[in-house]
Amino acid sequence: MKTLSNARVSELFEHYFAVAPVAVVKAPGRVNLIGEHTDYNGGFVLPAAINYHTYIAFAPRADRSLRLVAYNFDNELVTVDLDVDQVDDRNASWANYVRGVVQEMRTQGFALAGGDLYIAGDLHSGAGLSSSASLEMALIRALTALSGEQVDPTQAALMGQAAENNFVGCNCGIMDQLISARGQEHAALLIDCQELTARAVPVPADWEILIVHSGVKRGLVDSEYNQRRQQCEQAAAYFGQTSLRGVALEQLLAAEGQLDELSFRRARHVLTENQRTLAAANALAEGNLAGLIKVMAESHASMRDDFNITVSAIDTLVNILADAGEGKAGARMTGGGFGGCVVAMAPATVIPQLVAAVELYYQAKTGCEPTLIRAKASAGAFA
Ligand code: GLA
């Protein structure tokens, strides 16, 4: 996909609306280094915002409506009346995120103001790199800029998540929105999803993040995702807790054989993943590559065997990357699962051999076409 810039999106606005925009804002997508399906369990995640974004160029309007145009959807135009409750429009995918965000902002008491908005993104949509969270965060930035209102980045993230939960129908956690809002350049964020606190963990200057899209379309994501969430809640309920954060790993292990096998495995993934995420943050901070590689490999195995969210092409891709790294590259599936992307982390000097191995073996072994994305840890929309 072609990379965009503020200047390019400003031009696209001007071409469409025949006037110049007053400003352009952007919000990044994300890659999660480790900590999968832990966010909605009140656990820990370690994502980085990436240098691929949703951009919005905008200008005020005199009336109380929004006219929004989506570059990535053939310049489709959607109009929103800011003074009415938004209705869920199941046929219009991107517009639904817009309506959900407007609705949550209205509910939170934002006054909002009319505007013309041109939306364009260079994130690979459907890859699991959170193009939807980046759309939500960019929109909240643009809408608050238009109305001159202030918004706290964490509040913005919560409104984006609420839009997905209440309007789009995905029971996602807070990770994607929070990292898109609060990400930092050259760093991942260790986020405590119960407390909503975050600590920047710098990525060593000579390391690089390589994302490989498996070419496997993420099927059944919403239904499988919501089902995993339910299974985790059931496991927590067995211990009289509302979230698995309230359950200790020792407590869970002691209940093996009493708790049903599926709930046990789901909970074991989440509780061990929390430990691996904390260990990974330490390893990253110390530049301890061997430590990071170990927990990334364990994380992948746990997603494959206990949480059952990987697919065989993704497992093959992780093996190709790990083998090609010869002990100098960590690799695991990233995101919700059932397709999407793998993330690898390695010294920059090792990246070319990873790229070469993917190009040589992946399609031959799986029949799927990979897309290689070299990513840099980048600033969030409100950073
Ligand atoms: C999706 C969700 C996130 C998180 C991940 C899995 O990206 O939107 O909230 O649960 O899956 O870690």
Side-chain angles (χ1 to χ4, degrees):
M1 180 161 316
K2 248 184 140 179
T3 19
L4 295 168
S5 63
N6 282 10
R8 175 72 186 125
V9 178
S10 176
E11 248 172 48
L12 288 165
F13 180 102
E14 194 161 350
H15 190 250
Y16 188 91
F17 288 107
V19 288
V22 293
V24 184
V25 293
K26 62 179 181 179
R30 64 97 186 92
V31 64
N32 191 20
L33 301 181
I34 194 164
E36 225 63 81
H37 287 263
T38 46
D39 61 351
Y40 56 80
N41 287 300
F44 298 97
V45 293
L46 188 65
I50 56 176
N51 51 324
Y52 297 87
H53 299 85
T54 298
Y55 294 81
I56 303 184
F58 56 90
R61 288 176 60 83
D63 63 9
R64 290 199 40 82
S65 71
L66 300 175
R67 280 194 302 169
L68 306 110
V69 179
Y71 172 72
N72 302 68
F73 293 87
D74 296 325
N75 274 356
E76 190 185 344
L77 168 74
V78 164
T79 306
V80 172
D81 180 343
L82 290 171
D83 291 325
V84 302
D85 277 331
Q86 300 301 308
V87 180
D88 174 350
D89 177 358
R90 292 274 169 206
N91 296 321
S93 60
W94 72 272
N96 225 3
Y97 291 93
V98 172
R99 296 189 194 286
V101 164
V102 168
Q103 189 58 29
E104 292 305 327
M105 292 185 82
R106 279 168 48 79
T107 309
Q108 295 285 315
F110 283 83
L112 301 173
D116 289 332
L117 294 87
Y118 194 91
I119 306 172
D122 56 14
L123 268 154
H124 305 67
S125 72
L129 299 176
S130 296
S131 56
S132 59
S134 80
L135 167 60
E136 293 149 18
M137 294 308 100
L139 198 59
I140 294 173
R141 263 211 71 182
L143 295 182
T144 49
L146 276 166
S147 62
E149 290 168 292
Q150 296 298 315
V151 62
D152 169 77
T154 302
Q155 185 192 10
L158 287 166
M159 288 192 295
Q161 183 197 16
E164 301 235 12
N165 292 172
N166 303 335
F167 215 84
V168 180
C170 170
N171 273 332
C172 68
I174 191 66
M175 169 169 70
D176 306 344
Q177 289 79 10
L178 207 62
I179 188 66
S180 180
R182 293 176 54 180
Q184 288 192 23
E185 215 180 347
H186 308 306
L189 285 193
L190 175 64
I191 301 172
D192 178 333
C193 298
Q194 178 159 278
E195 304 300 327
L196 299 186
T197 51
R199 173 162 67 82
V201 185
V203 177
D206 56 340
W207 292 13
E208 252 191 53
I209 302 169
L210 175 69
I211 302 169
V212 187
H213 186 3
S214 63
V216 179
K217 271 236 162 76
R218 295 181 309 140
L220 295 174
V221 192
D222 283 356
S223 59
E224 291 282 349
Y225 184 94
N226 292 345
Q227 190 194 56
R228 292 298 181 286
R229 185 169 181 154
Q230 240 173 24
Q231 291 165 341
C232 290
E233 282 163 5
Q234 259 167 34
Y238 175 86
F239 294 97
Q241 299 290 332
T242 50
S243 118
L244 282 173
R245 180 67 178 268
V247 181
L249 180 59
E250 300 68 44
Q251 222 182 332
L252 174 74
L253 297 178
E256 185 166 12
Q258 294 152 43
L259 181 60
D260 73 279
E261 204 253 345
L262 191 67
S263 305
F264 177 79
R265 284 196 290 114
R266 299 300 190 242
R268 182 168 58 188
H269 164 73
V270 171
L271 297 184
T272 56
E273 184 80 348
N274 279 335
Q275 296 191 339
R276 286 187 290 270
T277 304
L278 294 172
N282 287 336
L284 193 62
E286 292 161 3
N288 170 3
L289 186 59
L292 186 69
I293 291 171
K294 177 171 178 285
V295 286
M296 286 180 86
E298 289 170 359
S299 169
H300 188 81
S302 177
M303 292 190 288
R304 184 189 61 213
D305 303 335
D306 271 353
F307 221 63
N308 305 122
I309 54 171
T310 71
V311 295
S312 87
I314 290 265
D315 294 337
T316 304
L317 183 53
V318 166
N319 289 338
I320 291 172
L321 287 162
D323 288 349
E326 297 175 330
K328 292 201 185 93
R332 58 181 286 284
M333 185 189 76
T334 180
F338 308 101
C341 291
V342 164
V343 61
M345 177 77 119
T349 50
V350 175
I351 299 289
Q353 72 205 51
L354 304 185
V355 170
V358 169
E359 281 169 352
L360 197 58
Y361 302 123
Y362 179 65
Q363 190 159 11
K365 285 193 179 188
T366 63
C368 304
E369 199 182 331
T371 306
L372 292 145
I373 304 165
R374 296 179 80 149
K376 284 190 175 32
S378 302
F382 298 92

